[in-house]
Amino acid sequence: MRLKDKVAIITGGGSGMGRATSVLFAREGAKVAVVDINAAGAEDTVRRITSAGGQAIAIRADVSNSEDASSMVSGAVAKFGGLDIIFNNAGIEGEGRFTAEVTEEQFDRVIAINLRGVWLGIKYALPELIKRGGGSIISTASIAGIIALRGSVAYSAAKAGVIGMTRVVAAEYGRYNIRANCICPGFIHTEMADRIAGGRPYTEEQTHRLSLFHRFGEPEEIAQAALFLASDESKFVTAQPLVVDGGWASK
Ligand code: NAD
């Protein structure tokens, strides 16, 4: 088991990549605090873990809210006795409008959840990771933080911000044996992807355009990247954006 007896917080654990990662980390021996603003989603993930013999608790929190972010960390520590890994993965997609059409409220909401929420998770996790003598911080950025995607001004700014924040945290806390990395997914088949499609099936042209394998990624493929970054197998890897996009950004 690659995460035996490690304690992990996973935000956005009630769906998509967060759920796949929660299930995989638990299978690899971690005790998982599954955090989501959608309590029912988090509880469903926990049921999947515990029915397979794993250990997990559900915590309802809005990652953009300081009190919630602080209590998700203290709740995980109270239950499992410490913290080794945080995967700041919760995020929203925004409205898909061009820059001049985005309202201030829409811009602020995407930044609050996708950027401030990641910072709050890191901020409250750090003292607990230091107490443990080290740990792994992983955050979900996006290929949108690297290449231009029309209709994603706030989202791209937030995800590029996560990449920058990751480097700063790695530089500041490396001396505590804390690593910070982020994952830049390409197009991954989750509920978010279904919402972006607006209920319409994706065309063959779209699937060809969005990866070199002519298919979308699966949440489990992001979970495997997160497992690598969480485990000791990546113990000399820090400050990195790990692109998991089926080669989309190379086109
Ligand atoms: P998803 O919608 O399936 O899951 C996101 C989860 O985050 C949901 O359970 C949702 O309830 C939760 N969430 C939303 N706002 C929250 C908040 N304020 N506090 C706590 N939880 C909140 O989406 P997903 O595709 O699994 O997305 C996971 C991450 O991956 C996001 O950060 C997203 O931006 C990023 N991402 C997704 C794709 C993709 O193609 N799906 C590509 C690149 C990056």
Side-chain angles (χ1 to χ4, degrees), residues 11-19 35-38 41 61-65 88-93 109 113-114 140-144 155 159 183-193 195-196 219 222 248:
T11 73
S15 177
M17 302 176 202
R19 169 170 290 162
V35 175
D36 209 291
I37 198 165
N38 172 6
D62 175 352
V63 295
S64 68
N65 177 289
N88 298 292
N89 163 76
I92 58 168
E93 62 274 24
R109 180 158 179 267
I113 296 171
N114 292 8
T140 306
S142 169
I143 210 66
Y155 187 84
K159 296 301 189 180
I183 299 173
C184 298
F187 208 87
I188 310 299
H189 191 223
T190 66
E191 287 180 21
M192 182 182 285
R195 283 194 301 274
I196 292 169
I222 301 301
W248 175 14

Side-chain angles (χ1 to χ4, degrees), residues 17-247:
M17 302 176 202
R19 169 170 290 162
T21 306
S22 299
V23 169
L24 181 62
F25 279 21
R27 208 190 304 146
E28 291 291 337
K31 299 166 193 164
V32 183
V34 180
V35 175
D36 209 291
I37 198 165
N38 172 6
E43 281 155 17
D44 187 15
T45 302
V46 167
R47 263 193 300 278
R48 292 173 195 223
I49 291 171
T50 51
S51 65
Q55 290 189 67
I57 52 162
I59 298 176
R60 193 215 157 268
D62 175 352
V63 295
S64 68
N65 177 289
S66 177
E67 278 175 27
D68 281 16
S70 169
S71 56
M72 85 181 172
V73 172
S74 57
V77 170
K79 173 72 181 174
F80 294 129
L83 182 67
D84 304 286
I85 300 154
I86 184 163
F87 183 27
N88 298 292
N89 163 76
I92 58 168
E93 62 274 24
E95 312 293 328
R97 296 182 178 178
F98 272 27
T99 301
E101 316 307 327
V102 175
T103 67
E104 289 183 40
E105 289 73 21
Q106 289 165 346
F107 187 89
D108 289 348
R109 180 158 179 267
V110 171
I111 296 292
I113 296 171
N114 292 8
L115 183 59
R116 186 173 194 270
V118 172
W119 167 65
L120 287 172
I122 294 172
K123 173 180 166 60
Y124 291 113
L126 276 166
E128 297 300 332
L129 300 178
I130 291 170
K131 277 188 214 158
R132 288 283 248 217
S136 178
I137 296 169
I138 310 158
S139 305
T140 306
S142 169
I143 210 66
I146 299 175
I147 62 172
L149 299 183
R150 292 179 190 88
S152 73
V153 67
Y155 187 84
S156 290
K159 296 301 189 180
V162 169
I163 296 171
M165 189 186 298
T166 296
R167 293 198 180 105
V168 171
V169 172
E172 289 177 347
Y173 293 91
R175 67 197 168 106
Y176 295 103
N177 199 29
I178 291 171
R179 301 183 293 110
N181 295 287
C182 58
I183 299 173
C184 298
F187 208 87
I188 310 299
H189 191 223
T190 66
E191 287 180 21
M192 182 182 285
D194 291 342
R195 283 194 301 274
I196 292 169
R200 292 178 299 277
Y202 284 96
T203 63
E204 203 170 313
E205 188 273 331
Q206 284 171 316
T207 46
H208 275 241
R209 190 160 44 82
L210 298 178
S211 92
L212 298 176
F213 302 128
H214 303 164
R215 67 170 178 86
F216 299 147
E218 294 300 327
E220 290 73 20
E221 292 169 317
I222 301 301
Q224 291 290 349
L227 175 60
F228 170 68
L229 292 174
S231 75
D232 281 350
E233 287 155 33
S234 62
K235 64 183 195 281
F236 206 54
V237 179
T238 195
Q240 297 308 309
L242 175 57
V243 176
V244 186
D245 72 339

